[in-house]
Amino acid sequence: MVWGNGLPRCHRNYLALCRGLFHKSGEVPENQQKATKMPIKNRYAEMHAEITEWRHDFHTHPELLFEVHRTAARVAELLRAFGCDEVVEGIGRTGVVGVIKGNTTASGKVVGLRADMDALPIHEITGLDYASETPGMMHACGHDGHTAMLLGAAKYLAETRNFDGTAVVIFQPAEEGGAGGLEMCQDGMMDRFGIQEVYGMHNMPGHPVGHFAIRPGALLASSDEFEIVVTGQGGHAAAPHQAVDTTLVAVQILLSLQTIVSRNVDPLKRVVVTVGTFVTDSVASNVIAHQVTMQGTVRTLDAEFREFAEKRIREIVDGTATALGATAEVKWQRGYPVTMNTPENTVYAAEVAKAIAGSVDDDVDPIMPAEDFSYMLEERPGAYIFLGNGDTAMCHHPAYNFDDEAIPFGSSWYSGMIEARMPG
Ligand SMILES: [Zn+2]
Ligand SMILES: [Zn+2]
């Protein structure tokens, strides 16, 4: 995902309240069992150090895109050690899938849980004792935390198997721009494992640790990219009548593109059209450029506007270039689709989150980064939820770090989805 930077506030009182749910050993007192239907699993308090150790190991050894060989091997090794009924590697190139059957599978239900494993090409400045040992690479989006939390849930589910059905744990490569989730789907993962619904999670700086936030419908935007190459007739700056001023044509196109959002899109809808680069092939003040290249992105929360924006951009580029005597070419690169939570499954996800944290924000504002869990949600109903990461630097910042205090909440939610959707 692509995020802004910043150091948002954390609600420490709330955090302290959440921490109060933990017990270092023994069972949850009976009064608390009654007070909350599904509190943080006490088992996760015991496993906290172990899950944290896995997370720190992943953090020290970040890997990019599909090249997550070490991480995937470690994930597969742990899943086998937990006693998963099946562990399959190499789905979506380096993705790993584990299958855990409940005490009974009479219900015939199969629920998928997904985490991502890849890091980012960012040079870490956290100064942590377990910081990245690979210069220019770090876990700056918390995927080390997601993977560790889902491993924790897998260990717990393989131990307890207190559900009627089959849990499928999905560890995907290449979330950061490589569409690893799409490749796992294209490898036939959903049908092969019979997955009927699927759930995913992302940590969220700025929300208190242990606090969950979700919404039905669009939660994250689609992201498409385009390149426009305008070709005119270069020439001498003093003889514009003998040239086609490509820079002027490109500027007209750039300005007209801004009418898509302001004049063509329903003001209540959310669409962004941004041109991020504008490069002419002239490097002299007395030369009219022959060619100009612009690159940009379209973000939207409404899938219909992806088609519409592409159509309008092509029309504006062609029409403007033709009117001014130039030619133009548009290259379109489709990116991740809108992350669309199925309303019914959003309710299930929010209920489990509320039982763990005591409350849940079930109408959080959508955000405009994109997320490739969207491909899995295109294939199956399900939901994606945010888990607070507290007062940390934003994801993709070189000082970002996943908060280990979030681990028991995240692992509880993952396994809670299995026990709630397939009660044993
Ligand atoms: Zn990211
Ligand atoms: Zn991420």
Side-chain angles (χ1 to χ4, degrees):
M1 285 196 259
V2 178
W3 306 77
N5 296 334
L7 294 164
R9 283 183 64 231
C10 175
H11 307 271
R12 288 289 171 193
N13 291 342
Y14 183 85
L15 180 59
L17 198 73
C18 291
R19 281 177 177 151
L21 287 169
F22 291 102
H23 296 266
K24 287 291 173 206
S25 61
E27 293 299 317
V28 174
E30 225 172 66
N31 61 342
Q32 284 202 17
Q33 285 181 6
K34 283 173 190 161
T36 50
K37 192 175 64 178
M38 189 190 298
I40 288 166
K41 305 285 183 211
N42 208 41
R43 183 76 182 94
Y44 291 124
E46 295 166 10
M47 289 165 60
H48 198 168
E50 185 181 18
I51 300 173
T52 302
E53 223 171 89
W54 300 334
R55 209 277 290 178
H56 290 188
D57 175 58
F58 294 137
H59 193 90
T60 306
H61 304 284
E63 296 172 297
L64 299 183
L65 293 167
F66 288 98
E67 304 303 314
V68 289
H69 302 288
R70 181 189 183 276
T71 309
R74 179 73 177 132
V75 165
E77 178 189 22
L78 285 168
L79 291 177
R80 289 194 179 100
F82 302 157
C84 287
D85 296 282
E86 195 182 347
V87 178
V88 184
E89 296 173 76
I91 298 183
R93 292 192 239 178
T94 40
V96 182
V97 172
V99 177
I100 306 161
K101 292 187 193 310
N103 282 325
T104 166
T105 55
S107 72
K109 285 188 177 174
V110 184
V111 173
L113 304 171
R114 171 274 202 178
D116 35 18
M117 299 186 286
D118 57 322
L120 283 156
I122 294 174
H123 191 79
E124 182 164 353
I125 60 165
T126 60
L128 294 163
D129 56 2
Y130 57 89
S132 169
E133 289 179 358
T134 311
M137 232 184 258
M138 78 174 283
H139 268 292
C141 205
H143 299 185
D144 49 344
H146 305 163
T147 295
M149 290 191 295
L150 184 53
L151 282 169
K155 181 171 183 179
Y156 166 85
L157 290 167
E159 270 177 15
T160 55
R161 302 191 184 249
N162 185 27
F163 56 97
D164 177 1
T166 303
V168 178
V169 288
I170 302 162
F171 297 86
Q172 77 150 82
E175 193 288 320
E176 299 288 2
L182 175 63
E183 285 217 18
M184 292 188 90
C185 289
Q186 287 172 336
D187 266 1
M189 175 180 70
M190 295 297 181
D191 289 339
R192 175 172 175 177
F193 297 98
I195 297 164
Q196 296 159 352
E197 50 193 86
V198 66
Y199 298 91
M201 184 198 303
H202 206 290
N203 76 92
M204 186 54 67
H207 290 245
V209 172
H211 181 260
F212 292 91
I214 194 168
R215 77 185 301 273
L219 182 64
L220 293 106
S222 63
S223 173
D224 297 326
E225 294 188 352
F226 58 84
E227 182 180 87
I228 300 166
V229 179
V230 186
T231 306
Q233 176 70 49
H236 197 293
H241 59 294
Q242 292 171 350
V244 173
D245 188 346
T246 322
T247 302
L248 191 61
V249 178
V251 166
Q252 293 282 6
I253 289 171
L254 174 56
L255 289 172
S256 298
L257 292 182
Q258 298 311 310
T259 64
I260 296 173
V261 174
S262 67
R263 302 292 89 176
N264 300 144
V265 172
D266 180 339
L268 297 179
K269 303 289 184 181
R270 301 190 204 214
V271 183
V272 174
V273 177
T274 291
V275 174
T277 72
F278 188 105
V279 180
T280 84
D281 66 357
S282 166
V283 292
S285 62
N286 60 353
V287 173
I288 289 175
H290 184 72
Q291 200 162 64
V292 174
T293 302
M294 294 180 278
Q295 293 173 320
T297 183
V298 174
R299 306 290 175 105
T300 178
L301 296 171
D302 294 88
E304 63 189 284
F305 286 114
R306 296 178 80 189
E307 321 286 341
F308 178 76
E310 180 179 355
K311 178 172 162 285
R312 282 299 292 141
I313 287 173
R314 288 186 185 280
E315 285 171 355
I316 287 168
V317 169
D318 288 347
T320 309
T322 302
L324 298 175
T327 58
E329 190 192 351
V330 179
K331 286 184 194 151
W332 202 268
Q333 176 78 45
R334 284 217 131 195
Y336 295 168
V338 179
T339 303
M340 196 63 79
N341 278 340
T342 317
E344 193 183 339
N345 301 81
T346 305
V347 173
Y348 304 146
E351 280 171 355
V352 171
K354 188 176 177 185
I356 293 162
S359 67
V360 61
D361 178 356
D362 59 5
D363 191 24
V364 70
D365 282 341
I367 54 175
M368 298 311 270
E371 161 61 55
D372 99 337
F373 185 63
S374 52
Y375 291 110
M376 296 191 192
L377 287 176
E378 284 192 335
E379 294 225 347
R380 293 293 186 272
Y384 195 61
I385 198 165
F386 295 140
L387 170 61
N389 198 57
D391 187 10
T392 63
M394 187 45 85
C395 296
H396 293 209
H397 189 283
Y400 166 87
N401 192 27
F402 180 85
D403 191 329
D404 290 319
E405 294 302 318
I407 285 172
F409 296 92
S411 291
S412 292
W413 182 81
Y414 273 132
S415 57
M417 289 312 302
I418 297 300
E419 292 177 349
R421 294 298 297 139
M422 303 185 288

